[in-house]
Amino acid sequence: MRGPPIPTETELKLAIAPGAVAGLARHPAVVACKRGRARTARLVSVYYDTADDWLAQQGVALRLRRDGRRWVQTVKGPQAGSSAGGMSTRAEFEWVVSGGELDPLRFSATPFRRVLAKALRRGLGARFTTDFKRTSIPLVFPDSTWATLCIDVGEIRIDGAQRPLRTPLHELEIELEAGDVLRLYELAHRLAADVAIVPELRSKAQRGVALRRPQTAKPVHAAGAEFAADSTTATALQAIMRSCLAQIEANAPGLIADDDPEWVHQMRIGVRRLRACLSLARRVVATARIEPLRVELRWLAQALGPARDLDVFATQTLPAVNGAVTMSGDDDSLRTALHELTQQAAERRAGARALARSAVASSRYVRLVLYSAALAAASSAGPTGDAGHRALLGAPARDFARPLLKRRQRALLDLGADLAHAAPETRHAARLAAKNLRYATEFFAPLFPHKRTRAFRKALETLQDELGAWNDAAVATHLAGELAGSPSLAAAAFGGWAAARAHARDRALDAAWSAFSKARPFWSRR
């Protein structure tokens, strides 16, 4: 027998520039769906945890909030699934309590009772405070979706014995009360055209913990989508799209603020993965819904591509060629040419990084993220999707994945076995086919037993790595010619280095192809 439904909070959280707060409530998109008077209140919340942040490690937040004369105790659970575009869905339990003290007896009414009981035994204490003014605006949309827009301005602080730690708080939350979550994305998309907002990936609780325990941010690699083996095609594609978008979003702040080239690399991978996901979705989702995002992702890829290519050129290829020249004892004229090329590459690299940062910091990028998240949240093929699309979306994801994987495997196998001696055009086509197949195998791996997927994925990964190394050398040769001029000594050195590197890896490429061609397709029914 099922118990009562778990109360859930669904909200879209956005960071807002301080200077944009004042006019937000008067924005035409807000005024058009406003359904009542705005309410302003000061909210002071104290967050509780153990000394080692046990609750935060489990994804649980516990707070006491003073709202006027009332004290409200709240327990929030972990994020349900992967967040996308600032959207979060969490179990939320609230009780009015007296005296401004925690009431541990309430813990047993939540699914997190054991986690909270363990935290209680370890010792709960006040760890940080949020203190902000909230302006709440009730909203109703034409399809009768109800929501509340909350503008929060204040701070998160930790009161210490010496001086408090503080971080400013400027947030916009759009909380769904009833109806379609897509309306929240649509409103945010309209606001992003005029207002400096970006999706906020962290809750107030997470930001408070980060203030307590600052950590150096690291580039975020791709993570597999989470969905059940018996999922429908729609559920699988939504989860895949969210996982791709999560990688893009997570690397954006680091790309803007840090010079580590890995931020660009991982964000570019996220963009490629999302583009690959859209190419799969074209079979079941209306073109009118997908095409705008395909255009925007192409724009973002073009902004990131040169920055990544020049990062590889400057940090990997140039040092390798310089080392080879030094060991060979070539004349000073070549070393001088390579030194000049290094300076030219550094200048071009700085410009490419600046353009990439400008793109990611733009409102166009924010709208891209919001549109992507809305597409991932949509439960239908779209207004022009036909009955066939709807049937495929509701069918088992395995039935969708099997023929698609088979087609992509065949496309790669048809390019032939002698890639080590193939024309550059054939190698390039094989690299793209291997990449498309690899993304598809990564996306749909949760549908099949891990042991069956492991050998095939390993063989494909090795093949793609070998083809990628050949492509890196080809790109480096092109860049050297573009920077220094094709007839130059430096360009000639890069051409010779690329040819020698390709020849040295011929055996490895042959071995990788042989292993891949023998790998058993994990999607086979046998």
Side-chain angles (χ1 to χ4, degrees), residues 253-265:
L255 186 152
I256 293 172
D258 188 17
D259 289 333
D260 185 345
E262 191 65 13
W263 294 107
V264 177
H265 181 41

Side-chain angles (χ1 to χ4, degrees), residues 420-445:
H421 305 98
E425 295 79 10
T426 301
R427 283 195 185 188
H428 180 66
R431 183 182 67 85
L432 294 179
K435 181 179 68 174
N436 289 335
L437 178 58
R438 182 176 175 181
Y439 285 146
T441 59
E442 290 176 353
F443 291 160
F444 294 119

Side-chain angles (χ1 to χ4, degrees), residues 12 14 27 84-85 184-199 245 248-249 274 289 292-297 299-300 359-376:
L12 181 57
L14 305 148
H27 190 280
L184 310 191
Y185 283 118
E186 290 168 358
L187 174 58
H189 195 274
R190 289 188 62 190
L191 292 175
D194 307 310
V195 180
I197 57 176
V198 295
L245 182 57
I248 295 171
E249 288 188 275
L274 185 51
R289 176 171 281 178
L293 182 54
R294 285 170 55 83
V295 171
E296 293 305 286
L297 286 172
W299 159 75
L300 184 56
V360 175
S362 69
S363 64
R364 184 174 181 178
Y365 166 77
V366 174
R367 296 196 301 274
L368 180 158
V369 169
L370 292 170
Y371 191 95
S372 302
L375 185 60

